[in-house]
Amino acid sequence: MSLAGLLGLTDPAGGAALQTRLLPHRPEHAFAAGATTTNGDGFGVGWYGIGATPGVFRAVGPAWSDRNLRELAGHVASPLFLAHIRASTGTAVQQTNCHPFRHGRWLWVHNGMIRGFPQLKRELVLAVDPSLYAAIEGSADSEVMFFLALTFGLEDDPPAAVEQMVGFVEATARSHGITDPLQMTIGTSDGETVWAFRYSSEGRSRSLFYSTKLHTLRQLYPDNPVLHDLAEETRLVVSEPLGDLAGAWNEVPESSYGVVHHGHDELHPFRPRSMPAAVG
Amino acid sequence: MSLAGLLGLTDPAGGAALQTRLLPHRPEHAFAAGATTTNGDGFGVGWYGIGATPGVFRAVGPAWSDRNLRELAGHVASPLFLAHIRASTGTAVQQTNCHPFRHGRWLWVHNGMIRGFPQLKRELVLAVDPSLYAAIEGSADSEVMFFLALTFGLEDDPPAAVEQMVGFVEATARSHGITDPLQMTIGTSDGETVWAFRYSSEGRSRSLFYSTKLHTLRQLYPDNPVLHDLAEETRLVVSEPLGDLAGAWNEVPESSYGVVHHGHDELHPFRPRSMPAAVG
Amino acid sequence: MSLAGLLGLTDPAGGAALQTRLLPHRPEHAFAAGATTTNGDGFGVGWYGIGATPGVFRAVGPAWSDRNLRELAGHVASPLFLAHIRASTGTAVQQTNCHPFRHGRWLWVHNGMIRGFPQLKRELVLAVDPSLYAAIEGSADSEVMFFLALTFGLEDDPPAAVEQMVGFVEATARSHGITDPLQMTIGTSDGETVWAFRYSSEGRSRSLFYSTKLHTLRQLYPDNPVLHDLAEETRLVVSEPLGDLAGAWNEVPESSYGVVHHGHDELHPFRPRSMPAAVG
Amino acid sequence: MSLAGLLGLTDPAGGAALQTRLLPHRPEHAFAAGATTTNGDGFGVGWYGIGATPGVFRAVGPAWSDRNLRELAGHVASPLFLAHIRASTGTAVQQTNCHPFRHGRWLWVHNGMIRGFPQLKRELVLAVDPSLYAAIEGSADSEVMFFLALTFGLEDDPPAAVEQMVGFVEATARSHGITDPLQMTIGTSDGETVWAFRYSSEGRSRSLFYSTKLHTLRQLYPDNPVLHDLAEETRLVVSEPLGDLAGAWNEVPESSYGVVHHGHDELHPFRPRSMPAAVG
């Protein structure tokens, strides 16, 4: 997929309004997450290509006016990328708070927040594996969620690790009297597979959509040339539908996660795992 | 007036949503201009205080997340300031394209655009007084309008200079077959007086409002403590009404300009002056 | 003192090359700290004026090309300011890592580093008072030192608190087998008094200078007009001497701290207080 | 060549201190230009790869702390790139003043300045082809030189166009009583060939070096593994020698230009072409 797809970020009020143009000949997956209001507090894109780890480009201004993003979008190709546009829920607008976050080959984007984060932050951060602690660079809740998931085994079993992370955050919030602390859609990848989670403590999660199989779309739209240029296994996961092709987008159900992988995709229920709260 | 007034820039979709808190004891004037959609492409504020020329603070990110703006707003006082939040109509997002523009003691903010500017730019810039030419630092239409107005005598007779500038831009556009080239509200000041213009070639100009005299507002709202803290001659000119105090805002009529000055304010019709087009 | 003094930041290789121009008629104190090589990784200035807390202006580019800094320097006045130019020792170049750090009325600038900070960071941060923890915004060693000093009572007894902070950092480093962990000159103020510390674990600290009393300088240079324009109690503390006026600068001795206050200045020995290491 | 070569930009005082690590298997050319003092006023890199035009990444901070540059350097590959680190000679530090400048497939980097540029700028800009005028985005002398060279036929005959540009700038300066106006090393490319110019009006030009043929270096250093990994036709052109490999760098003579192309390289004398001055 060419990052040219990001070129369409011209509508600041449009959430993750990525007008993605897909390029042919490779299995391709992507995840893009944005909040529902103006997302002008920085952005980022990660992609797998040259090098042992994914590349990450992040900046603090709005994506819609960033010239370097347009340059990258037109001149970098990758079979898998994750993009994010940020609306700060309070923490500083700085590069180290922009998504995707990276650890080794893993990328992480999050749309949502931890309510009461200033009260919970110390206990949550203390639960991060001490060997990972120094790698936390920013101050955002999303990064702490990533490092908690890494602590709970993200690299071995992503769904289990995210379920433990959520369980732990909810238990810690409960011990502070904070109800419904978590609102999240999450995308994470190791470069081969994309896991996409939709969950919130209150059961009314931000939206998450995945694209219909290309084979089906081509039958629906036999004359659409774009669809015939795309690679067979192309799959997009987005926070809001892009474009207006009826039948192209399917909602990830409440409290679920999807797995996008070469040759097979899956959809499963997501259940937070019961965890003891942090000891403050 | 304390720049604390700018602290309220938290609603990116709200145009020039300045929630101005006025401070007492001095005659105070202000002009704030913004476009009607998301204004996240930089901002600026100019103020008169220490020094022979006004201070100008400009930055390229959105005003709503700029910490230095909050600091200045809380720690700089001035009897007269001009503020602007920018939505680029195509030119680069850079400090030298942010308003206010400054020349000597003069500040200039503009809300609108010159249509067909890329085609007209060379001829317009050539008409700028050669002695002023090197002081043009940015690439925006608004700055060229300022330097044309300076060329036509802004420092001596602001209304006449702006009327000539508009006449010249319209004549030049006409010679290129561009109709209705100008859309503008403009605020300019020498530190003593604020001139505020509302005009567009098509006669459907962006909005411009001025605040009701404080004496009248106090009679309307005898129990409102904020109004009683304000200086007697406080006057605001804004692109969109702030707050929801009925009776507080009055629209500047189509094709008009206002003059805000110590002791007297004026409202006059605005008529572009017939000018020969630039010779290409 | 006018911040115009900062206008001279044009020599990026010159450490804290502030060519300070002092303005008359008020007791004035200032502290400026920089590292010895190129300091182009952000800068900041804090000043006491309008408002209950000091103003802070910080940016991530080099001070020498920052236009807003020049504007502030020419348009903001204060009897007391602290300025800093940063050379990152590894942590991110971002506003929240720029000095001065602020807490209430307190400002803090630091020149130096904690060696082995990535290994020590978790234990040091854990020792910060939990009620202060959420106010840590950046990732730099200097900010952690500030919050440790606050934890140890900076607001009540600054020298004792800084001596405890140093003792604690050294004990924690020792428990990790890190020798000579601290290199520091520090300036801190509550708006009335400036405390300036010079210390390093190895006893070879970065330089720190204070200006000679104006009364003495005027006797040395009876014809220097600048000296006669200055306020009687003007005092500067800088990491490197400014200008070339012989007799103007006096080195703060190794392992010492100075106190600059209205009417009296002091110089004392600095001795780290024995503290137990953090329990990892 | 991988942009990983740019990863070494850690010494801000080291001019164009690119510690280039070359990667194997393709003919590779590069040009890097920097001024002689601290180059912290922005940087840029252009490369030829995906897409009809080269990619350009430019930013306003110092290259040495730019994380996105490190990411690109590690994750973008190209057979030909141009890099530049900037020390402003007065014009604004903004993206549109950063090199490389681009027009179609052409890139342009310049090290040096036009003396008296503020006085000459209007006349020089007027001589730019009106159809190109609107594409000038910045305010720097280097960009005006590029657009003058384009006006004089850069795309057809680069050496002739640059010689005319220089002749024109010198004639215009002469008419203003400015002697020795030009100081320049220039690199320009269409993606196939690199032209590198060294010239100054006063005959004491900034340095320019090209790397020795790999075949020769391998005979000199038969045991150096890096040299054996490189592509046969690898060639670097730099403003200052990189590394300390004796015999690796050759100075481009005063008033000369080199041509680096697949299969053959050339070195020629550079002679400004007599041009009439601009009519002011």
Side-chain angles (χ1 to χ4, degrees):
Chain A
M1 184 180 299
S2 160
L3 289 184
L6 290 173
L7 267 170
L9 274 171
T10 52
D11 178 11
L18 308 178
Q19 299 165 13
T20 305
R21 180 169 62 86
L22 299 175
L23 296 182
H25 301 319
R26 296 210 46 183
E28 294 169 337
H29 317 306
F31 182 96
T36 48
T37 54
T38 299
N39 293 275
D41 300 333
F43 67 89
V45 58
W47 71 95
Y48 294 85
I50 297 171
T53 59
V56 173
F57 174 71
R58 304 190 291 182
V60 298
W64 65 77
S65 61
D66 193 280
R67 295 193 172 198
N68 287 325
L69 176 59
R70 287 176 184 265
E71 294 293 321
L72 285 192
H75 295 91
V76 169
S78 168
L80 197 166
F81 69 84
L82 281 81
H84 186 272
I85 55 177
R86 183 171 183 241
S88 169
T89 51
T91 46
V93 176
Q94 59 193 21
Q95 213 174 14
T96 55
N97 283 348
C98 291
H99 312 212
F101 300 100
R102 176 180 57 197
H103 183 77
R105 278 191 67 76
W106 289 78
L107 293 176
W108 176 275
V109 294
H110 167 235
N111 184 4
M113 83 281 288
I114 298 177
R115 297 190 182 92
F117 183 61
Q119 295 141 264
L120 307 179
K121 185 179 178 185
R122 188 173 183 273
E123 290 174 38
L124 298 178
V125 167
L126 283 192
V128 170
D129 188 307
S131 72
L132 294 172
Y133 177 84
I136 301 177
E137 286 204 301
S139 57
D141 49 5
S142 303
E143 189 187 23
V144 173
M145 291 165 69
F146 180 36
F147 276 87
L148 285 172
L150 286 165
T151 298
F152 294 138
L154 180 71
E155 291 158 296
D156 295 323
D157 185 344
V162 174
E163 286 177 344
Q164 286 182 68
M165 178 273 287
V166 168
F168 177 73
V169 171
E170 291 187 332
T172 304
R174 221 162 22 236
S175 76
H176 281 261
I178 297 167
T179 52
D180 295 341
L182 254 178
Q183 176 61 255
M184 72 177 214
T185 54
I186 283 173
T188 189
S189 180
D190 61 357
E192 300 297 323
T193 301
V194 173
W195 291 263
F197 300 85
R198 184 182 181 210
Y199 175 78
S200 60
S201 306
E202 66 266 41
R204 288 188 304 278
S205 306
R206 299 194 175 190
S207 62
L208 192 61
F209 294 85
Y210 61 95
S211 58
T212 299
K213 280 210 166 181
L214 212 55
H215 180 73
T216 308
L217 282 176
R218 283 174 181 158
Q219 290 181 316
L220 281 170
Y221 301 96
D223 300 329
N224 186 317
V226 172
L227 296 174
H228 288 272
D229 282 349
L230 291 172
E232 189 62 33
E233 295 195 52
T234 300
R235 185 78 85 180
L236 278 83
V237 185
V238 295
S239 54
E240 290 91 23
L242 305 175
D244 52 7
L245 209 59
W249 298 104
N250 315 279
E251 195 167 25
V252 174
E254 182 67 62
S255 300
S256 300
Y257 70 93
V259 185
V260 183
H261 192 81
H262 188 75
H264 70 284
D265 297 343
E266 303 163 23
L267 200 55
H268 300 282
F270 179 88
R271 298 186 191 89
R273 303 210 178 185
S274 185
M275 298 284 291
V279 180
Chain B
M1 182 180 299
S2 160
L3 290 185
L6 290 174
L7 268 171
L9 274 170
T10 51
D11 178 10
L18 309 178
Q19 298 165 14
T20 305
R21 180 169 62 86
L22 298 175
L23 297 183
H25 302 319
R26 296 210 46 184
E28 294 170 340
H29 317 307
F31 183 97
T36 48
T37 53
T38 300
N39 293 274
D41 301 331
F43 68 90
V45 59
W47 72 95
Y48 295 86
I50 296 171
T53 59
V56 172
F57 174 70
R58 304 189 291 181
V60 297
W64 65 77
S65 61
D66 194 280
R67 297 194 169 195
N68 287 325
L69 176 60
R70 287 177 184 266
E71 294 293 320
L72 286 192
H75 295 92
V76 169
S78 168
L80 197 166
F81 70 83
L82 281 81
H84 186 272
I85 54 176
R86 183 172 182 239
S88 168
T89 52
T91 47
V93 176
Q94 59 193 21
Q95 213 175 16
T96 55
N97 283 348
C98 291
H99 312 212
F101 301 101
R102 175 178 60 194
H103 183 76
R105 278 190 67 77
W106 288 77
L107 292 176
W108 176 275
V109 293
H110 166 236
N111 184 3
M113 83 281 288
I114 298 177
R115 296 190 184 91
F117 183 61
Q119 294 142 265
L120 306 178
K121 185 178 179 186
R122 187 172 184 273
E123 291 174 36
L124 298 178
V125 167
L126 284 191
V128 170
D129 188 305
S131 72
L132 294 171
Y133 177 84
I136 301 176
E137 285 204 302
S139 56
D141 49 4
S142 303
E143 190 187 23
V144 173
M145 290 166 69
F146 180 36
F147 276 86
L148 285 171
L150 286 166
T151 298
F152 294 138
L154 180 71
E155 291 159 295
D156 296 322
D157 185 343
V162 175
E163 287 178 345
Q164 286 182 66
M165 178 274 284
V166 168
F168 177 73
V169 171
E170 292 188 332
T172 304
R174 219 158 27 233
S175 76
H176 282 261
I178 296 167
T179 52
D180 296 343
L182 254 177
Q183 176 62 255
M184 70 178 215
T185 54
I186 284 173
T188 189
S189 180
D190 62 357
E192 300 297 322
T193 301
V194 173
W195 291 265
F197 299 85
R198 184 183 182 210
Y199 175 78
S200 61
S201 306
E202 66 265 41
R204 289 189 305 276
S205 305
R206 299 194 176 190
S207 63
L208 192 61
F209 295 84
Y210 59 97
S211 59
T212 299
K213 279 208 167 183
L214 212 55
H215 180 74
T216 309
L217 283 176
R218 284 173 182 159
Q219 290 181 317
L220 281 169
Y221 301 97
D223 301 329
N224 186 318
V226 172
L227 297 173
H228 289 271
D229 281 348
L230 292 172
E232 189 63 33
E233 295 196 52
T234 300
R235 184 78 86 181
L236 277 83
V237 185
V238 294
S239 53
E240 289 91 24
L242 305 177
D244 52 6
L245 209 59
W249 298 104
N250 315 279
E251 195 166 26
V252 174
E254 182 67 63
S255 299
S256 301
Y257 70 93
V259 186
V260 183
H261 192 82
H262 187 76
H264 70 283
D265 297 342
E266 304 163 23
L267 200 55
H268 301 281
F270 179 88
R271 298 187 192 89
R273 303 210 176 185
S274 186
M275 297 284 291
V279 180
Chain C
M1 182 180 301
S2 160
L3 290 185
L6 289 175
L7 267 171
L9 274 170
T10 52
D11 177 11
L18 308 178
Q19 298 164 13
T20 306
R21 181 170 62 87
L22 298 175
L23 297 182
H25 302 321
R26 295 211 46 185
E28 294 169 340
H29 318 305
F31 182 95
T36 48
T37 53
T38 300
N39 293 275
D41 300 332
F43 68 90
V45 57
W47 71 96
Y48 294 86
I50 297 171
T53 59
V56 172
F57 174 71
R58 304 189 292 181
V60 297
W64 65 77
S65 61
D66 194 279
R67 294 192 172 198
N68 287 326
L69 177 59
R70 287 176 183 266
E71 293 294 320
L72 286 192
H75 295 92
V76 170
S78 169
L80 197 165
F81 69 84
L82 281 80
H84 186 272
I85 54 177
R86 183 171 183 241
S88 168
T89 52
T91 46
V93 176
Q94 59 192 21
Q95 214 174 13
T96 54
N97 283 347
C98 292
H99 312 213
F101 301 101
R102 175 179 59 195
H103 183 76
R105 279 190 66 77
W106 288 77
L107 293 176
W108 177 275
V109 294
H110 166 236
N111 184 4
M113 83 281 287
I114 297 178
R115 297 190 183 90
F117 183 61
Q119 294 143 264
L120 306 178
K121 184 178 179 184
R122 187 172 183 273
E123 291 174 36
L124 298 178
V125 168
L126 283 191
V128 170
D129 188 306
S131 72
L132 294 172
Y133 177 84
I136 301 177
E137 286 204 301
S139 57
D141 49 5
S142 303
E143 189 187 23
V144 173
M145 291 165 69
F146 179 37
F147 276 86
L148 285 172
L150 285 165
T151 298
F152 294 138
L154 180 70
E155 292 159 295
D156 297 322
D157 185 344
V162 174
E163 287 177 345
Q164 286 181 67
M165 178 272 286
V166 168
F168 177 72
V169 170
E170 291 187 332
T172 304
R174 218 159 27 233
S175 76
H176 281 261
I178 296 168
T179 52
D180 296 342
L182 255 178
Q183 174 64 256
M184 72 177 214
T185 55
I186 283 173
T188 189
S189 180
D190 61 357
E192 300 298 322
T193 302
V194 173
W195 291 264
F197 299 86
R198 184 183 181 210
Y199 175 78
S200 61
S201 306
E202 66 266 41
R204 289 188 305 278
S205 305
R206 298 194 176 192
S207 62
L208 192 61
F209 294 84
Y210 60 97
S211 60
T212 299
K213 280 209 164 180
L214 212 55
H215 181 74
T216 309
L217 282 176
R218 284 172 181 159
Q219 290 181 318
L220 281 169
Y221 301 96
D223 300 330
N224 186 318
V226 173
L227 297 174
H228 289 270
D229 282 349
L230 291 172
E232 189 64 33
E233 293 196 55
T234 299
R235 184 77 86 181
L236 277 83
V237 185
V238 294
S239 54
E240 289 91 23
L242 304 176
D244 52 7
L245 209 60
W249 298 103
N250 316 278
E251 195 166 25
V252 174
E254 182 66 63
S255 299
S256 300
Y257 70 93
V259 185
V260 184
H261 192 81
H262 187 76
H264 71 283
D265 297 342
E266 303 163 23
L267 200 56
H268 300 282
F270 179 88
R271 298 186 192 88
R273 303 211 177 184
S274 187
M275 297 284 290
V279 179
Chain D
M1 184 179 299
S2 161
L3 289 184
L6 289 174
L7 268 170
L9 273 170
T10 52
D11 177 11
L18 308 178
Q19 298 164 14
T20 306
R21 181 169 62 86
L22 298 175
L23 296 182
H25 302 320
R26 295 213 44 186
E28 293 170 337
H29 318 305
F31 182 97
T36 48
T37 54
T38 299
N39 292 275
D41 300 333
F43 68 90
V45 58
W47 71 95
Y48 294 86
I50 297 171
T53 59
V56 173
F57 174 72
R58 303 189 294 180
V60 298
W64 66 78
S65 61
D66 194 280
R67 294 193 172 198
N68 287 325
L69 177 59
R70 287 176 184 265
E71 293 294 320
L72 285 192
H75 294 91
V76 170
S78 169
L80 197 166
F81 70 84
L82 282 80
H84 185 271
I85 54 177
R86 184 172 183 239
S88 169
T89 52
T91 46
V93 176
Q94 59 192 22
Q95 213 175 15
T96 55
N97 284 347
C98 291
H99 313 213
F101 301 101
R102 176 179 59 196
H103 183 77
R105 279 190 65 78
W106 288 78
L107 293 176
W108 176 275
V109 292
H110 167 235
N111 184 3
M113 82 281 288
I114 298 177
R115 297 193 182 89
F117 183 62
Q119 295 143 264
L120 306 179
K121 185 179 178 185
R122 187 172 184 274
E123 291 175 34
L124 298 179
V125 167
L126 283 192
V128 170
D129 188 305
S131 71
L132 294 172
Y133 178 84
I136 300 177
E137 286 204 302
S139 57
D141 48 4
S142 303
E143 189 187 23
V144 173
M145 291 165 70
F146 179 37
F147 276 86
L148 284 172
L150 286 165
T151 299
F152 295 139
L154 181 71
E155 292 159 294
D156 296 322
D157 185 343
V162 175
E163 288 178 343
Q164 286 182 68
M165 177 273 284
V166 168
F168 177 73
V169 170
E170 292 188 331
T172 304
R174 218 156 31 231
S175 76
H176 281 260
I178 295 168
T179 52
D180 296 341
L182 255 177
Q183 175 64 253
M184 71 178 215
T185 55
I186 283 173
T188 190
S189 180
D190 61 357
E192 300 297 322
T193 301
V194 173
W195 291 264
F197 299 85
R198 183 182 182 212
Y199 175 78
S200 61
S201 305
E202 66 266 40
R204 289 189 304 278
S205 305
R206 297 195 176 190
S207 63
L208 192 61
F209 295 84
Y210 60 96
S211 59
T212 299
K213 280 209 164 180
L214 212 56
H215 181 74
T216 309
L217 282 176
R218 284 173 182 161
Q219 289 181 319
L220 281 170
Y221 300 96
D223 300 330
N224 186 317
V226 173
L227 297 174
H228 288 272
D229 281 348
L230 291 172
E232 188 64 32
E233 295 195 53
T234 300
R235 184 78 85 181
L236 277 83
V237 185
V238 294
S239 54
E240 290 92 24
L242 305 176
D244 52 7
L245 208 60
W249 298 103
N250 316 279
E251 196 167 25
V252 174
E254 183 66 64
S255 300
S256 300
Y257 70 92
V259 185
V260 183
H261 192 81
H262 187 76
H264 70 284
D265 297 342
E266 303 163 24
L267 200 55
H268 300 282
F270 179 88
R271 298 186 191 90
R273 304 209 176 185
S274 187
M275 297 284 290
V279 180

